[in-house]
Amino acid sequence: MLLPHSLTRAPFLLRRRNAPDTEPHAAPPHSPLALAWWIALWIAGPANWPLWKAFAGLPDVTGTRGLLFGIGFGLMIAAATAALLSLLAWRPTFKPALTVVLLTAAVSAHFMGSYGVVIDPTMILNVLGTDVRETRDLLSLRLLESLLLLAALPLWWLWRRPVDYQRGAVRAIRNLASLAGALVMLAAMTLLCFQDLSGTMRNHKELRYLVNPLNGFYSVGRVAYAKQARPAGPPMPIGLDARPLPPLAGQRTPLLLLVVGETARADHFALNGYPRDTDPELRALDVLSFRNVTSCGTNTAASLPCMVSHLGRTAHEARSHNYENLLDLLQHAGLAVLWIENQAGCKEVCDRVPHTRPEQPAPGATPPDDRLCPNGECLDEAMLHGLDARLAALPAPQRAHGVVLVIHQMGSHGPAYSQRSPADRKRFTPECTSTVLQQCDHQRLVNAYDNSIAYTDHVLAQSVRWLRQQTASYDPAMLYLSDHGESLGENNLYLHGLPYAIAPREQKHVPMIAWLPPQRLQADRLDLGCLRGRLDTSLSHDNLFHTVLGLARVRAGEYQPALDALAPCRAAS
């Protein structure tokens, strides 16, 4: 008797339902757990080369004991990675998950090894806020090499292996057994190496941030948890009692131009003792340069919200709620506020105030020309284009109480330092034009960076020239403060973003420069001699909130005169 065609296929279908992902006569299938452990060893070894490079340079892990500790430490990393991969050893997730892990490890190894950065929660926030322009600057052949060697090679091997996933219950038991074995191995190696491990991690905290890619996954989890832990909804209001001070005799409306710098080091300004003439235009303007100022973070995502917070660095990091910021308070006081953005974003601090970009002109104004915005990326000078129109477009009732304009620079953002200054403003040559900084001659690298500082000098001087034109209607002032510094190869570190506790001074020592013309000094009863005598006073980003309120002539319950950098030199009125 002939059976229906569908029934003749049934035994084949039943036979294939639980078969491994292989074809007849192909190579024998592999256990997914065996593959997971091989990948874990690859990640613990070659994919962690920045960790092992740093480990080999430690003076207290030498000799046979150091070698044994290194092997034990590597096995701990392999065991921890295998524990994670054991949870993912299922048919739908196994190979895709390992692909993500290997690609993440390769990218992390490249940036940690090439620039000396680490992957921690603040770096994850910085990555999430990166735009296409910044991403483009970070692409290089060396990144491609890292992807090919550390990810593509093992992925080619992995995807060619047939895998026997077995039935669901058997798979679950074996995955749990592998997880338990990995945890036992991790605990055993920790106990065997505990004395060396605890001493090394205590004395060299940077190592814990180099464990790749586990530290990255942990940091992503920390960021997600912190976001969920804070209540949803709008930030808690501040400055509900904010008010502008009544004008004194001879005072005009305050106009403050707040320039938020990017990646500028205080020790590369001649005003602060740098031997190169990086700021000739500012020095001709008789500005005040505060020489001992510390940032509250080592990257924009950490520093920028902290700079405009009323809490200060310590309380801002430990906060359980999100709060409004300085810009919100100024608006509550009735002032006109405008944020002009030339970076990858304001990290949400300008979300509730008017904000724009240099390529978006004010009504009736023309956009910047190609000289200021070549190739779709604007130079910082473009933010000054059409400022008269932007000022006039602000609501007149708010302008009558005071104006605060904030310009957020591209500044000295790396690694493409050579792109931060136009060709006709290159004071120091030859300069490094590569984004693979460790391959640059150090002097050329410094030349490119110093050219960006010299261009910031020009932009700030142009800002002052514009402010001088407003003296008939306003009492103008300019305050410049960078968000963080930058490493330029010192101790083989580049860029910025190291955890605050271990970051070098180069990443935290920032410039703060004020221009206060005689008209403003007299109107605010400020003693110039007193101010000059306080230029070496220890200050930080914690002072910005209160100093701006002082310059904007705004008072609120959050204002602390002790943190206003100018208050000690202001006569009582």
Side-chain angles (χ1 to χ4, degrees):
M1 182 178 69
L2 296 176
L3 294 175
H5 178 66
S6 60
L7 292 180
T8 62
R9 288 171 49 90
F12 173 77
L13 293 174
L14 290 173
R15 186 170 62 251
R16 294 287 295 171
R17 181 174 299 167
N18 294 309
D21 60 346
T22 182
E23 298 298 329
H25 311 299
H30 296 264
S31 163
L33 296 173
L35 296 176
W37 277 88
W38 280 115
I39 294 297
L41 289 170
W42 175 268
I43 287 174
N48 263 284
W49 71 263
L51 169 67
W52 301 123
K53 180 180 178 182
F55 187 90
L58 300 180
D60 43 358
V61 290
T62 57
T64 303
R65 185 184 180 102
L67 176 62
L68 293 175
F69 170 49
I71 294 172
F73 190 28
L75 291 175
M76 290 167 59
I77 297 171
T81 306
L84 172 64
L85 299 183
S86 296
L87 297 173
L88 303 171
W90 302 88
R91 183 186 296 272
T93 60
F94 182 61
K95 287 186 177 180
L98 263 64
T99 300
V100 171
V101 169
L102 283 165
L103 288 173
T104 301
V107 172
S108 299
H110 166 74
F111 287 108
M112 289 193 293
S114 297
Y115 299 113
V117 302
V118 297
I119 312 298
D120 70 332
T122 57
M123 183 58 72
I124 295 298
L125 288 172
N126 224 32
V127 170
L128 294 175
T130 298
D131 64 5
V132 174
R133 295 182 302 173
E134 293 181 350
T135 302
R136 184 181 63 229
D137 291 341
L138 293 169
L139 300 179
S140 66
L141 287 175
R142 186 152 183 166
L143 173 58
L144 179 60
E145 292 173 0
S146 183
L147 287 169
L148 290 174
L149 292 174
L150 297 180
L153 184 62
L155 284 173
W156 176 83
W157 174 83
L158 172 68
W159 282 90
R160 286 173 56 86
R161 303 273 83 76
V163 181
D164 183 4
Y165 292 101
Q166 301 175 318
R167 294 177 181 272
V170 175
R171 179 79 277 128
I173 293 173
R174 295 194 174 187
N175 288 358
L176 289 174
S178 178
L179 171 64
L183 294 178
V184 168
M185 178 177 172
L186 177 61
M189 297 311 303
T190 302
L191 289 174
L192 286 173
C193 302
F194 183 77
Q195 184 176 359
D196 292 305
L197 180 67
S198 60
T200 302
M201 291 302 168
R202 182 174 59 252
N203 297 327
H204 307 284
K205 294 181 180 180
E206 65 276 10
L207 286 184
R208 68 186 66 180
Y209 298 106
L210 293 174
V211 179
N212 179 34
L214 297 176
N215 64 320
F217 295 145
Y218 168 77
S219 297
V220 169
R222 281 278 304 275
V223 170
Y225 173 78
K227 187 172 183 179
Q228 293 298 321
R230 296 189 186 115
M236 295 183 67
I238 66 169
L240 297 181
D241 63 339
R243 68 198 186 283
L245 292 173
L248 301 174
Q251 284 187 337
R252 297 179 176 84
T253 304
L255 169 60
L256 173 63
L257 181 63
L258 174 61
V259 183
V260 180
E262 170 65 34
T263 322
R265 287 172 53 155
D267 62 354
H268 276 243
F269 281 75
L271 285 163
N272 297 331
Y274 190 51
R276 284 184 136 181
D277 193 14
T278 52
D279 46 32
E281 294 187 64
L282 283 175
R283 286 189 293 105
L285 294 172
D286 197 26
V287 297
L288 299 168
S289 182
F290 296 88
R291 295 183 282 262
N292 190 18
V293 184
T294 304
S295 69
C296 59
T298 62
N299 58 58
T300 306
S303 282
L304 197 53
C306 179
M307 292 172 74
V308 295
S309 170
H310 69 293
L311 297 172
R313 184 178 73 86
T314 302
H316 177 76
E317 290 181 350
R319 71 194 187 281
S320 58
H321 292 78
N322 286 325
Y323 292 86
E324 291 181 339
N325 60 57
L326 171 64
L327 307 180
D328 299 295
L329 188 151
L330 293 170
Q331 280 202 147
H332 293 330
L335 274 67
V337 180
L338 177 64
W339 180 287
I340 306 175
E341 175 65 44
N342 197 34
Q343 254 280 354
C346 67
K347 314 306 178 189
E348 300 182 355
V349 304
C350 68
D351 287 359
R352 295 170 298 278
V353 303
H355 51 275
T356 187
R357 298 190 64 89
E359 58 267 30
Q360 301 168 349
T366 59
D369 57 30
D370 291 341
R371 182 186 67 85
L372 292 176
C373 295
N375 304 316
E377 181 175 319
C378 289
L379 296 163
D380 284 336
E381 201 173 348
M383 290 187 288
L384 308 179
H385 178 83
L387 266 189
D388 288 323
R390 296 194 190 280
L391 180 60
L394 295 173
Q398 282 82 0
R399 277 191 285 130
H401 289 128
V403 179
V404 176
L405 303 175
V406 187
I407 62 176
H408 186 201
Q409 289 184 294
M410 179 61 79
S412 301
H413 194 284
Y417 304 123
S418 63
Q419 297 179 24
R420 306 298 169 237
S421 57
D424 60 349
R425 296 222 161 252
K426 304 288 188 184
R427 293 175 58 86
F428 309 104
T429 57
E431 64 175 4
C432 168
T433 59
S434 172
T435 60
V436 186
L437 302 183
Q438 69 276 20
Q439 294 181 351
C440 281
D441 173 79
H442 180 69
Q443 189 56 58
R444 292 186 177 215
L445 173 61
V446 171
N447 286 347
Y449 182 82
D450 284 351
N451 282 331
S452 71
I453 298 294
Y455 184 57
T456 288
D457 169 65
H458 175 69
V459 172
L460 295 178
Q462 290 291 87
S463 303
V464 168
R465 294 184 183 101
W466 178 79
L467 287 168
R468 280 176 168 169
Q469 298 172 11
Q470 316 306 318
T471 54
S473 303
Y474 297 95
D475 284 336
M478 186 270 291
L479 182 64
Y480 164 76
L481 180 59
S482 185
D483 58 351
H484 55 79
E486 187 85 328
S487 289
L488 297 173
E490 300 88 356
N491 300 311
N492 292 317
L493 298 176
Y494 296 89
L495 301 181
H496 53 266
L498 280 181
Y500 198 85
I502 64 172
R505 180 168 171 79
E506 291 84 6
Q507 296 188 22
K508 297 187 288 189
H509 183 205
V510 293
M512 176 174 165
I513 298 171
W515 175 76
L516 302 169
Q519 171 186 328
R520 186 63 187 261
L521 292 168
Q522 182 177 0
D524 284 4
R525 281 54 170 176
L526 287 166
D527 185 324
L528 182 59
C530 172
L531 291 171
R532 286 176 174 163
R534 292 180 54 82
L535 295 181
D536 289 313
T537 301
S538 179
L539 300 171
S540 74
H541 278 168
D542 291 0
N543 298 97
L544 178 66
F545 181 96
H546 311 277
T547 304
V548 168
L549 291 185
L551 286 169
R553 300 177 190 154
V554 168
R555 291 298 178 267
E558 290 79 8
Y559 173 70
Q560 298 182 46
L563 292 175
D564 181 343
L566 307 183
C569 300
R570 187 179 288 122
S573 57

